[in-house]
Amino acid sequence: MHAYNLVHVSSLALYRRYRPESFAEVIGQEHVTDPLQQALRNNRVNHAYLFSGPRGCGKTTSARILARCLNCEQGPTPAPAASASPVGTSRGTGPGRSTSSRSTPPPTAAWTTP
């Protein structure tokens, strides 16, 4: 028998540990990814998309991938370069990464007492 140390097991949710970064990496959602890729290939992207479904089915992941495809530096493409960042963002490396490069501004003199 193996003794498992549950203290060191990450409590990070699966969707934060693994999030596909391209339509090719999305598994079991061909009915979603194929029409989106076809629209991108034909340059026939609609003005809005409504992603709906139960929790955990890939709505946010599909929307994020679509946004990366639309905002790619090379223009709308069904498969943006893996190393390319969307225009105006910098990609982090870890789960829950933030694309914001802004830092907290220093306190102003108006908030200090004389």
Side-chain angles (χ1 to χ4, degrees):
M1 287 281 205
H2 294 280
Y4 294 102
N5 188 352
L6 296 178
V7 175
H8 289 65
V9 175
S10 175
S11 62
L12 201 59
L14 180 62
Y15 73 93
R16 293 216 183 260
R17 280 185 268 163
Y18 170 74
R19 184 181 296 270
E21 293 191 6
S22 71
F23 286 126
E25 295 176 7
V26 177
I27 300 169
Q29 297 291 326
E30 290 79 19
H31 63 284
V32 174
T33 58
D34 289 346
L36 291 175
Q37 286 178 306
Q38 190 65 29
L40 288 162
R41 273 191 289 274
N42 295 335
N43 199 22
R44 307 258 315 162
V45 180
N46 290 318
H47 72 280
Y49 286 93
L50 179 64
F51 295 91
S52 65
R55 195 170 120 194
C57 69
K59 300 177 296 287
T60 301
T61 297
S62 297
R64 289 174 68 149
I65 294 170
L66 179 61
R68 281 191 65 223
C69 291
L70 291 171
N71 295 325
C72 185
E73 291 175 349
Q74 293 86 23
T77 176
S83 62
S85 296
V87 176
T89 63
S90 62
R91 295 183 54 198
T93 58
R97 59 190 172 253
S98 173
T99 58
S100 175
S101 60
R102 289 184 244 155
S103 62
T104 306
T108 61
W111 293 101
T112 60
T113 56

